[in-house]
Each structure stands twice: as C-alpha cells, then as structure tokens.
Amino acid sequence: MSADLAAAPEAATHCAYCALQCPTVLRDEGGAVVVRPADPAGGGLCQKGWTAPAVLRAPDRLRTPLVRGPDGQLTPTDWDSALDLVAGRLARLRGEHGADAVGVFGSGGLTNEKAYLLGKFARVALGTSRIDYNGRFCMSSAAAAGNAAFGLDRGLPFPVADLGRAEVILLAGANPAETMPPLMRHLNRARLVVIDPRRTRTAELAALHLQPVPGTDLALALGLFHLAVTEGLLDEAYLAERTTGFDEAWRRAVAWWPERVEGITGVPVADMREAVRMLAGADRRYVLTGRGAEQHSKGTDTVSAFVNLSLALGLPGRPGSGYGCLTGQGNGQGGREHGQKADQLPGYRMITDPAARAHVAGVWGVDPDTLPGPGMGAYQLLDSLGTPGGPKALLVLGSNPAVSAPNAAHVSRRLAALDLLVVADFVPSETAALADVVLPVTQWAEEEGTLTNLEGRVVRRRPVLAPPPGVRTDLDVLHGLAVRLGQPPERFPTQPRTVFEELRRASAGGRADYAGISWERLDAGEELYWPCPADDGGARHPGTPRMFLDRFAHPDGRARFAPVEDRDSAEVPDAGRPLLATTGRVLAHYQSGAQTRRVPELMAVAPEVFVEVHPDTAGRFGLTDGARARVVSAHGAVVARVRLVESLRADTVFVPFHFPGAGRANLMTGPALDPVSGMPEFKLAAVRVEPWSEPS
Ligand SMILES: Nc1nc2c(c(=O)[nH]1)N[C@H]1C(S)=C(S)[C@@H](COP(=O)(O)OP(=O)(O)OC[C@H]3O[C@@H](n4cnc5c(=O)[nH]c(N)nc54)[C@H](O)[C@@H]3O)O[C@H]1N2
Ligand SMILES: Nc1nc2c(c(=O)[nH]1)N[C@H]1C(S)=C(S)[C@@H](COP(=O)(O)OP(=O)(O)OC[C@H]3O[C@@H](n4cnc5c(=O)[nH]c(N)nc54)[C@H](O)[C@@H]3O)O[C@H]1N2
Ligand code: SF4
Ligand SMILES: [Mo]
C-alpha cells in the first residue's frame, strides 16, 4: 500500500464529483468522514458534495477482487490471483491476436496521475492503440471547435470568478443551477440569456429564455450571427486585428436569416434580436456552451457557430469577456490532456506528430517506433468489442458505459461478447456486474493526486481516511499488471507524486504544459493554471489564468471563424415517432448514478427515472401524471414515470440518464456520431411515448 495513503485526521481537499471541484475540508470522526466547504462564504457545496462521504461506506462497497467462477458468479479472490489471471489472459490474447486485441476505457473522473499512467500503460505495457475514455461523451465537440478556433482547448480560458463581473452571459444548453449550483454565485449578477428546450431552474433565473426545438442550436447560432451582422453589431476592429475567416463564415451564414431560423427553431425573431442586442450592448459578456448544445451529431459545428457569434462580437481573448465551455467531470479538463484519448499523448500532444512521439518516448524510455498510432473514439471502440478484428478484452477505469454510453442495449451486448472484461471500481456498477474480473479501488477521500478543474487550474486531492483493507489504488493496479506483463517496476510508479513529476516532464513543451507546476507550489497555496512552462532563467512561471489576451494559439496568432451551415440531426421525427426526446441531469444524481444511487439522502429526493411531458402531449398520447410510460425510439425503449411539466415544449420530452435497467435513458439514444469529435447524439432521439403497465 502506498505510503502517501497515511491519512491525516483533517484534510483540505476537493469534492468527489464535478469539474467545479469545490474546495472542501474532510474530517475523520472515528471512521465517519464529515465534509464541509473550505470556503462557506464562497458558495458552499451542492447536495451531492455534502453527501459524498456516504459512498465511502456504501454497504456494497467493493473490498476484495472478484473473479467470475465456473458457476457464472463473481467470487472473491486475492489480489495476486486476480492480477495474475488478468495479466496472463491479456498476454495470451495479445500473443494470439496482436496488441489491438486489448482495449482500455478511461475517464475524466480519474486524477491527472491516473489518466497519465493509464495512457502510458496502454501504449507501453499493452502496446495497444485501442484506448479512449468517457470524456469523448462529454465535451469533445467543444474541444474540437475550440482547437479549430483558438488553436488550443481549455474549457474556460479564464477564471470562473471573472464571470462574476459580467453584465450579460449567454448559456447555450447548460443548466448550472442543477449541474454546478455553487457556480451560480458567479452568474447571479449578470443578465442571463438561456437557450434550453426546457424551462430549467437556470432558465427561470434568466432575463431571456430561448426555448428551441432540441437539436436546432446550430440554426439558432447561425441566426444570431446573421443578426449581429445585419444589425451592424460587428466589432470590426477586432475582426481585422484578431481573426481570420469571417468572409467565408458569413458567406454561409447569409442564408440563415432570422425568419428562416424561427421556422426551424421555434424561437421568435424578436427574442433572437433581443439576445444579440443584449450581448452586443454590454461591456463585459460571455458566451458559454454546455452539453445541451454539444451532445449532438452536429455538436462540433454547433459550438463553432456559437464561437463565430462570440468572435463577431469581439469577445474571446478580451479581458472581462469571452467564450467558454463548461466542462463537466471532476477532471474533465486534465483528463483530456495526459494521453488517455485515442489520438493523444501527454501534454495535449498529437500521437501522429513525430516530434511529440519522440519527446514522450524519451520520457518513457522506449523507442518511439514502438508506440502505436491513433486508435478510435469511445463509441467506435465500444461498438467494436468482441467483433472480428476488434478488442477481445477491455479494461475499464472510472466509467459505467453499460448505463452512460449511447445505444446502451447494443453496448451491453458488445461488453458481454468480450473474452475478458476487467472493471476497476469501488462500487459494483452496472458495468462491473458484467465483468469477468472486478478490482476494488480507493475513493477520493482515501487517495492523493491532482485534478484540473473547469477553468484549467490544478487542484490537490488529499486523503483523510485509510482505505478499507483489501482495496488498492488505481496506480497500484496498473503497476501490478504492468510488472506481470514484463515491464520494469520503476516504469509504473505507485506514488502519485512520482507520477506527477514524470507527467510534468512528459507535458513540457506541449500545448497543456504542466512543467512549472509542482506539488510544493500547489501545497503552498499557489493557484496555478496551465500552460505553466518550466522555470525560465530562474523566474517562476506564474501560470496562465487568462489565455489569448495578446494572441490566439494558432501560428498567426489569430482566431479562426469556422464556415459552418445547418444540417439535419441524425434523429428526425416521423409519424410513428413524432416526439423529440432529450436527456440530461438532475441536481441529486451524478452521471450513471453508480455513486449517488448509493446515497440515501439523494435517493429520497430523486428515487427513480421519470419522463417530463407537456400536459397537451400527455393528453394526446393517453399518458397520466405519475403513471408509467414507455419512451420508444428506433433503438430501444425506456420505462419511466410520467411527470407533467407545463413549461416544456409540447414536441419535447426529457429523461435523466442516471438510472439503471429498463430506466436507462440510453436505451433510446442511437449510434449516430459527430464526424469530427465522435460525440454521440445524446441529446436527441425521435420517439413515441405510450402508457405502460408491468406485464403480469
Ligand atoms: N447534478 C449533476 N451535476 C453534474 C453532473 C451530473 O451528472 N449531475 N455531471 C457533470 C458533468 S460530467 C457534466 S458534462 C455537466 C453537464 O452540465 P449541463 O450541460 O448543464 O447538463 P445537462 O443536463 O446534460 O444539459 C444541460 C441542458 O441541456 C438541455 N438540452 C437538451 N437538449 C438540448 C438542445 O438540443 N439544445 C439546447 N440548447 N439545450 C438542450 C437540457 O434540457 C439541460 O437542461 O454537469 C456536471 N455536473
Ligand atoms: N443520455 C445521456 N448519456 C450521457 C450523457 C447525457 O447527458 N445523456 N452525458 C455523458 C457525459 S457528459 C458523461 S461525462 C458520461 C459519464 O458517464 P460515466 O462514464 O458512466 O461516468 P460515471 O457515472 O461517473 O461513472 C464512473 C464510474 O467509475 C467509478 N469511479 C469513479 N471514480 C473512479 C476512480 O477514480 N477510479 C475508478 N477505477 N473508478 C472510479 C464510479 O464508481 C462509477 O461506477 O455520461 C455520458 N452519457
Ligand atoms: S458543484 Fe460539483 S464540485 Fe461542487 S459540491 Fe456539487 S458536485 Fe461537488
Ligand atoms: Mo460530462
């Protein structure tokens, strides 16, 4: 067991869950962990943060490795037997079918150290190209659009606190009042423009709520851009000095005049005009996107269209204004920088770039030619499991794709078709339940490391509690497997700090440069945002809270407009499936619910899956408030309790995705992907809704 896990009775750390990474103080009170906000005046914690310690002592917490026995049951075993078995079978599959017969699925919930070591494990110990992670399902469309526009992808290229001084903020498809409640203290001074088909708690706080047909944000953003031009609201000096590509983008957008856009989106022209005038008329203003705009088969183009709008008004790279994406997972930002993404190496380097390969191979002490090439995105990876030529084994760390991946029935079948599914988790998730080997790991309050929050700031995770006997860290698991696969032990360190030191070197000179960030500096209370290059001639680099103030990260220093146009979504309603289903979150649950469904206080508030339906729609389809219904798409059906919501669009229904079994929202989502980012169409399925009663 790692020495770093010798825990202190009180520890300053951060929340277990989302990318806001609220600072907390944990106290071990005789084995019961009590959490409190480190900065109670500064926004506190949400319900999930307050109740997170319950998961540490979940009655079904995994405490011993499990191996599926001849009787088909998961049976307790010891660590050596479990690791010997996994390594032996991985080596055999690799020997028989080649390195790509083994796949790896990571997570934006993993610390920087875990994400880094997981990528290294895949490329070096396994030699496989088949690695990707759940961040593909999260902000990958915004990342693709951000890289194209700015030459670099940091979700918020400014501190969140800057939002507190904004006059106007446009939120496209984000519901922070439920998904990041403490963030609202930074948003409540601004006039908000909220774009959401539902009248969410965030929309209720808005000065202006645009309520489009789901999946039409691209048209809407084109319409807003069009109005910015035709109303004479362009920032001409900014366009000339700081951007390229306006003419081509405008040549496309010219066809998206407001009346046409109203016809597609249902948003009145007057409201569009009001939104653009509000944004253009203020000094300090932001355009922010969330998953509602991004999780579509045209998500990248949709974000690009919102970036175009923000560039037209001169916002990015200007103090007090900007564009940003509200990244979601605890390490949603760091998770995409250290090499667990199919096409990347640490430092946000591209795996196809010979110089990047040479640098990282040098740090790893291997020949660059032995590093595999790019793999495939998360959905393609899951879709290929157990197919001829596809991986026959999969190692999952930090994700529950049986619930959270799109086209869930199909994905569950693919997981079941594997020769070997290995899941490291601390609770028996729905994916762990399908596994051949389950490895019990530590949780946030029992381990140490770093995460990079939604504003690109690196925060320290610190332990307060010793893990239960029988439980190991993810780093220990990777070390144990790597050594059994013939790697030198020192190549896979188990001390997070040692891994971080290596990560600094591997990221040095890359786009996400952490070389100047040390645990000493973090522990001394410095707030360090990447890029933070190594000390330069003695002066410590201060990190980069605000990016792009002088130049964007493209070689010419300019931001690029993207020439985008609207197109149909993959899901189009028809007579048999006349409604549009969309999905998302509720305050009380986190993601696939594997953690929060184990917290009694949260289950009391949000016990089961529901489908929000407008009363008129309910009347049309014979649905009753509180009764159960089946939401049926071309891909599958979800059973959920009907909740009538007067403020919803009549053509739209909404299902949260936190629930298991027949209540999985992803039973109805399909396999369509964004062609650039590989993002699934999580936010749209053409459906019908019908009354349902339990078969007797
Ligand atoms: N309570 C809670 N908080 C969380 C999480 C959680 O699971 N639970 N997860 C974290 C993570 S990983 C993430 S990524 C973030 C996500 O944070 P958000 O992006 O705020 O969350 P979502 O609920 O997925 O989507 C936001 C809104 O998009 C709307 N929407 C649906 N379809 C469309 C559409 O076509 N267009 C537009 N404009 N809007 C649409 C939905 O109605 C929803 O209100 O939250 C983080 N915080
Ligand atoms: N329909 C629909 N589907 C969606 C979305 C949507 O809006 N609609 N949103 C998508 C988005 S944005 C996201 S981010 C994904 C998230 O969905 P998932 O990838 O399934 O994320 P979680 O539910 O957080 O799953 C994390 C699992 O890993 C475990 N875990 C947590 N931390 C660690 C760790 O450090 N190590 C290990 N080994 N295990 C750990 C948890 O116990 C849990 O079982 O869902 C996506 N799916
Ligand atoms: S907002 Fe996010 S980080 Fe803050 S307490 Fe809630 S879940 Fe935790
Ligand atoms: Mo996410």
Side-chain angles (χ1 to χ4, degrees), residues 274-289:
E274 171 71 8
V276 176
R277 285 186 180 162
M278 276 172 69
L279 268 179
D283 243 1
R284 296 180 304 281
R285 54 247 153 89
Y286 292 85
V287 171
L288 304 177
T289 59

Side-chain angles (χ1 to χ4, degrees), residues 134 137-139 291 295 327-329 585 591:
N134 69 1
F137 296 159
C138 188
M139 43 68 243
R291 303 306 84 78
Q295 289 175 324
T327 292
Q329 296 187 80
R585 292 160 166 82
Q591 317 277 60

Side-chain angles (χ1 to χ4, degrees), residues 120-194:
K120 181 178 178 183
F121 176 80
R123 270 62 176 253
V124 176
L126 297 171
T128 181
S129 71
R130 298 301 195 257
I131 175 169
D132 208 49
Y133 80 125
N134 69 1
R136 182 80 56 187
F137 296 159
C138 188
M139 43 68 243
S140 60
S141 289
N147 276 320
F150 310 123
L152 200 144
D153 150 47
R154 200 180 88 190
L156 295 184
F158 45 79
V160 275
D162 284 9
L163 296 169
R165 291 182 290 276
E167 296 159 72
V168 177
I169 301 175
L170 181 142
L171 288 162
N175 181 18
E178 293 206 63
T179 55
M180 294 185 184
L183 179 69
M184 295 310 288
R185 79 192 152 105
H186 296 302
L187 305 186
N188 62 19
R189 298 250 297 280
R191 283 179 297 146
L192 301 181
V193 179
V194 171

Side-chain angles (χ1 to χ4, degrees), residues 67-128:
V67 172
R68 200 168 294 281
D71 60 352
Q73 301 300 309
L74 283 170
T75 312
T77 188
D78 61 89
W79 273 98
D80 276 339
S81 308
L83 294 175
D84 287 348
L85 183 140
V86 172
R89 291 184 65 184
L90 293 181
R92 199 163 67 235
L93 285 169
R94 188 178 56 180
E96 284 168 11
H97 305 281
D100 281 351
V102 178
V104 175
F105 202 86
S107 167
L110 301 177
T111 59
N112 288 320
E113 294 76 14
K114 296 178 187 187
Y116 171 83
L117 208 68
L118 187 66
K120 181 178 178 183
F121 176 80
R123 270 62 176 253
V124 176
L126 297 171
T128 181

Side-chain angles (χ1 to χ4, degrees), residues 547-611:
M547 308 183 76
F548 312 139
L549 294 180
D550 302 319
R551 61 193 314 279
F552 294 98
H554 287 303
D556 63 1
R558 289 163 179 265
R560 297 180 184 164
F561 278 89
V564 292
E565 277 191 83
D566 191 30
R567 59 176 185 271
D568 274 349
S569 295
E571 296 278 321
V572 179
D574 58 26
R577 289 183 284 267
L579 297 170
L580 294 167
T582 189
T583 65
R585 292 160 166 82
V586 301
L587 173 55
H589 283 295
Y590 192 65
Q591 317 277 60
S592 71
Q595 289 158 269
T596 49
R597 281 186 273 113
R598 291 180 162 80
V599 180
E601 293 94 319
L602 299 176
M603 285 305 275
V605 190
E608 61 173 359
V609 65
F610 57 84
V611 51

